[in-house]
Amino acid sequence: IQVFAGYGYMAEYDVERFHRDSFGALIYEGTSQIQALMAMKDFVKFTMKNPSKFVQSLVAAHPLSNFLDSDSEYQRSVKGVSYEFRKQFATLMMRCFTPETRLSENGFKATILQLNRVFKKEYWQEADRFDKLMTHAETICQALAYKETLTVLAKHANKDKTRGVLYYKYLKLVTPRLAGIYSSWEL
């Protein structure tokens, strides 16, 4: 638009249409961002509503539990991916919701005093804590989508062994992507 100056704003020229149409993708993108926020909200709501169930699912997905199960290789693989996601997500939540530590008058950290606040509902509803987590909404949604797709592919591979190749190709594709998502959660 800077190159074409006024022509970039005049409807008689194609540059104006290109400029106007370029915003369509940005508006459309808003829909997927809202979906990402809703997926994150639902997952966080599930986690906060019943933290013990979340912890149980984390323990159940632990790779050591795979040795005790008679699951297929695909199901064990999905459990490993699920465990890693839940572990990384729990770490992200703790980063976002961990109470601040500060020195008390006698020099000790006041963490224990802050921990009492963690167990109160109001603590989890403080907006600035959710703001930290919301910055990761899109990557949480991506990771959930990768994990769910792997789950579906594993079910199909269990029914038809020829689909196992597709499962492993997708696993190979998403493994570095998930690692990239998890590393972005550390920032």
Side-chain angles (χ1 to χ4, degrees), residues 6-77:
Y7 294 117
Y9 292 102
M10 298 174 81
E12 296 87 28
Y13 296 94
D14 287 338
V15 175
E16 184 272 340
R17 182 175 45 84
F18 297 146
H19 178 253
R20 179 178 28 110
D21 292 349
S22 70
F23 288 101
L26 297 174
I27 294 168
Y28 175 76
E29 181 65 25
T31 303
S32 63
Q33 290 170 339
I34 291 169
Q35 289 173 339
L37 289 173
M38 295 307 291
M40 184 206 66
K41 180 190 75 102
D42 289 345
F43 193 74
V44 169
K45 193 174 176 182
F46 162 78
T47 303
M48 295 168 110
K49 185 177 182 180
N50 196 345
S52 63
K53 190 172 184 175
F54 178 78
V55 171
Q56 286 173 351
S57 69
L58 183 63
V59 171
H62 192 277
L64 290 178
S65 70
N66 289 338
F67 294 116
L68 304 174
D69 292 336
S70 60
D71 293 337
S72 71
E73 62 182 290
Y74 307 112
Q75 290 169 316
R76 285 192 298 272
S77 174

Side-chain angles (χ1 to χ4, degrees), residues 3-176:
V3 172
F4 290 100
Y7 294 117
Y9 292 102
M10 298 174 81
E12 296 87 28
Y13 296 94
D14 287 338
V15 175
E16 184 272 340
R17 182 175 45 84
F18 297 146
H19 178 253
R20 179 178 28 110
D21 292 349
S22 70
F23 288 101
L26 297 174
I27 294 168
Y28 175 76
E29 181 65 25
T31 303
S32 63
Q33 290 170 339
I34 291 169
Q35 289 173 339
L37 289 173
M38 295 307 291
M40 184 206 66
K41 180 190 75 102
D42 289 345
F43 193 74
V44 169
K45 193 174 176 182
F46 162 78
T47 303
M48 295 168 110
K49 185 177 182 180
N50 196 345
S52 63
K53 190 172 184 175
F54 178 78
V55 171
Q56 286 173 351
S57 69
L58 183 63
V59 171
H62 192 277
L64 290 178
S65 70
N66 289 338
F67 294 116
L68 304 174
D69 292 336
S70 60
D71 293 337
S72 71
E73 62 182 290
Y74 307 112
Q75 290 169 316
R76 285 192 298 272
S77 174
V78 168
K79 278 187 176 181
V81 171
S82 180
Y83 172 75
E84 187 62 26
F85 169 78
R86 289 175 185 275
K87 181 179 81 171
Q88 295 290 341
F89 183 76
T91 304
L92 175 64
M93 290 233 353
M94 292 313 296
R95 275 193 203 105
C96 293
F97 290 97
T98 299
E100 308 78 29
T101 57
R102 61 176 189 255
L103 293 177
S104 62
E105 290 132 16
N106 58 8
F108 293 106
K109 288 186 177 179
T111 305
I112 294 175
L113 299 173
Q114 292 291 327
L115 284 176
N116 289 334
R117 288 185 55 220
V118 171
F119 295 105
K120 295 182 179 165
K121 185 178 176 181
E122 295 80 23
Y123 176 82
W124 295 92
Q125 294 174 342
E126 292 176 15
D128 61 325
R129 299 184 195 291
F130 278 105
D131 290 345
K132 287 181 189 177
L133 192 58
M134 283 176 61
T135 60
H136 301 287
E138 288 186 49
T139 56
I140 291 169
C141 188
Q142 284 176 336
L144 284 168
Y146 291 148
K147 189 174 74 73
E148 190 60 32
T149 303
L150 277 171
T151 302
V152 170
L153 289 173
K155 287 178 184 176
H156 285 277
N158 281 330
K159 292 178 184 177
D160 181 4
K161 296 298 179 193
T162 61
R163 295 186 181 194
V165 174
L166 178 61
Y167 173 81
Y168 283 115
K169 282 184 178 180
Y170 190 74
L171 179 63
K172 184 179 178 181
L173 176 76
V174 300
T175 299

